[in-house]
Amino acid sequence: MSNPQGVAVVTGASSGIGATYADRLAAQGYDLLLVARRADRLAELAARLSAQYGVQVETLVLDLANASDLARLEARLHAEPVAVLINNAGVGALGPTAATGADAQEALIRLNIVALTRLSLAALAGFGTSGEGALVNIASVLAYGPSAGGASYSGSKAYVLNFTRSLQQEYADSRIRIQAVLPGPIRTEFFKAQGLPDSIFPDTAYISADALVDAALAGLAKGEQITVPTLVSPALWDDIEGKRLAFLGEVTGGRVAERYLQT
Ligand SMILES: NC(=O)c1ccc[n+]([C@@H]2O[C@H](COP(=O)([O-])OP(=O)(O)OC[C@H]3O[C@@H](n4cnc5c(N)ncnc54)[C@H](OP(=O)(O)O)[C@@H]3O)[C@@H](O)[C@H]2O)c1
């Protein structure tokens, strides 16, 4: 018998935030399709989750920055629609941008932007058949933070945020849920994975992947479209949004600012 909850796909499930999403979604009763490059990590997690929660867990060892690997997952999502996609796999290519190099920046764009975009569209096409589903895109608070040493990273996360918000507008009249999650610093292997010290922020700046994912899932359950688990003052968000809309209203007003008209 197939699982009535359906299948949840988690990219970047071999560690950190993705592994925690896998745990929580298995606990909610979803069968899982877990994707990353490290086969051993995926196999270990799959064995633990299927034993602990009694769900089916499949693993796919793919490099999502590679076009043919990405196409395999896309084709799978088209052929076998899923209930949930957590677009979580991401890299930082952190460091002085010129020194990190064009290849590392391009690899980041392939993963953080191209794979996330193509997989979002494949999942949404599948949701179309049942009329419902949940797409969760993991951005970052750096979507709002241009950062020296994280040029492509912060750029990619700004893309994820605007892409996801635009999709929310397009699917506003449907039962499909689309959420952007903006983590602050999280204790994972993220920094070590790119050869950086684990503590690039002060210790007090970090929260755990458990805390992040539990808050993000609580936000999803409440119907939030954008969840920023460490934003403690909702009024600050209302301010940002109010100013953003005022800005857009003014800059589409059809007139050039006085200061550019003085000769
Ligand atoms: N940690 C933070 O402070 C923080 C803050 C804001 C946002 N985020 C975002 O959260 C997401 C998860 O990061 P994390 O903190 O959990 O870091 P992590 O522990 O390093 O996890 C990254 C995951 O992405 C996978 N991955 C990396 N390159 C891949 C590729 N080419 N193809 C397929 N999978 C790939 C990794 O698995 P394999 O190496 O096995 O492929 C791993 O499972 C990322 O999108 C990151 O930008 C993290």
Side-chain angles (χ1 to χ4, degrees), residues 215-232:
L217 286 169
L220 183 68
K222 283 178 203 274
E224 272 189 8
Q225 293 193 315
I226 302 174
T227 299
V228 193
T230 50
L231 179 69
V232 290

Side-chain angles (χ1 to χ4, degrees), residues 125-245:
F127 297 162
T129 54
S130 65
E132 51 192 293
L135 169 65
V136 176
N137 286 340
I138 307 299
S140 165
V141 293
L142 283 187
Y144 284 97
S147 72
S152 299
Y153 183 70
S154 65
S156 73
K157 295 303 186 178
Y159 172 89
V160 173
L161 180 59
N162 259 7
F163 173 71
T164 308
R165 297 190 82 171
S166 304
L167 288 179
Q168 287 164 354
Q169 293 176 7
E170 291 180 27
Y171 286 82
D173 293 333
S174 78
R175 283 181 294 136
I176 294 169
R177 295 178 294 161
I178 303 177
Q179 181 196 32
V181 176
L182 277 61
I186 312 297
R187 276 266 172 245
T188 66
E189 298 168 23
F190 186 74
F191 301 104
K192 270 198 174 150
Q194 44 216 306
L196 293 172
D198 211 7
S199 51
I200 70 167
F201 296 101
D203 244 18
T204 50
Y206 290 88
I207 64 167
S208 67
D210 284 349
L212 182 272
V213 172
D214 288 340
L217 286 169
L220 183 68
K222 283 178 203 274
E224 272 189 8
Q225 293 193 315
I226 302 174
T227 299
V228 193
T230 50
L231 179 69
V232 290
S233 317
L236 184 54
W237 182 259
D238 295 342
D239 255 15
I240 293 172
E241 279 298 278
K243 297 266 168 29
R244 185 179 69 80
L245 294 173

Side-chain angles (χ1 to χ4, degrees), residues 4-263:
Q5 291 262 78
V7 173
V9 180
V10 183
T11 69
S14 59
S15 63
I17 295 167
T20 307
Y21 263 109
D23 179 275
R24 300 304 193 267
L25 292 168
Q28 289 182 14
Y30 289 97
D31 287 339
L32 298 175
L33 175 58
L34 305 181
V35 184
R37 292 166 304 178
R38 286 172 291 177
D40 52 343
R41 291 281 198 102
L42 288 180
E44 215 174 282
L45 181 63
R48 177 173 76 75
L49 297 181
S50 54
Q52 191 170 342
Y53 300 112
V55 295
Q56 304 284 323
V57 187
E58 187 185 345
T59 63
L60 263 183
V61 178
L62 298 175
D63 178 349
L64 294 174
N66 172 291
S68 61
D69 278 15
L70 174 60
R72 275 183 60 197
L73 181 54
E74 257 185 282
R76 167 70 183 266
L77 295 180
H78 281 292
E80 295 174 44
V82 298
V84 177
L85 170 63
I86 312 290
N87 254 326
N88 163 76
V91 288
L94 301 175
T97 307
T100 312
D103 290 346
Q105 308 301 325
E106 183 180 331
L108 176 152
I109 291 165
R110 285 177 197 271
L111 182 65
N112 295 15
I113 295 182
V114 176
L116 178 135
T117 301
R118 297 196 68 104
L119 294 175
S120 294
L121 298 188
L124 287 166
F127 297 162
T129 54
S130 65
E132 51 192 293
L135 169 65
V136 176
N137 286 340
I138 307 299
S140 165
V141 293
L142 283 187
Y144 284 97
S147 72
S152 299
Y153 183 70
S154 65
S156 73
K157 295 303 186 178
Y159 172 89
V160 173
L161 180 59
N162 259 7
F163 173 71
T164 308
R165 297 190 82 171
S166 304
L167 288 179
Q168 287 164 354
Q169 293 176 7
E170 291 180 27
Y171 286 82
D173 293 333
S174 78
R175 283 181 294 136
I176 294 169
R177 295 178 294 161
I178 303 177
Q179 181 196 32
V181 176
L182 277 61
I186 312 297
R187 276 266 172 245
T188 66
E189 298 168 23
F190 186 74
F191 301 104
K192 270 198 174 150
Q194 44 216 306
L196 293 172
D198 211 7
S199 51
I200 70 167
F201 296 101
D203 244 18
T204 50
Y206 290 88
I207 64 167
S208 67
D210 284 349
L212 182 272
V213 172
D214 288 340
L217 286 169
L220 183 68
K222 283 178 203 274
E224 272 189 8
Q225 293 193 315
I226 302 174
T227 299
V228 193
T230 50
L231 179 69
V232 290
S233 317
L236 184 54
W237 182 259
D238 295 342
D239 255 15
I240 293 172
E241 279 298 278
K243 297 266 168 29
R244 185 179 69 80
L245 294 173
F247 169 81
L248 286 174
E250 180 158 319
V251 297
T252 55
R255 64 200 168 111
V256 172
E258 195 64 36
R259 65 188 174 282
Y260 302 118
L261 300 176
Q262 292 149 4
T263 49

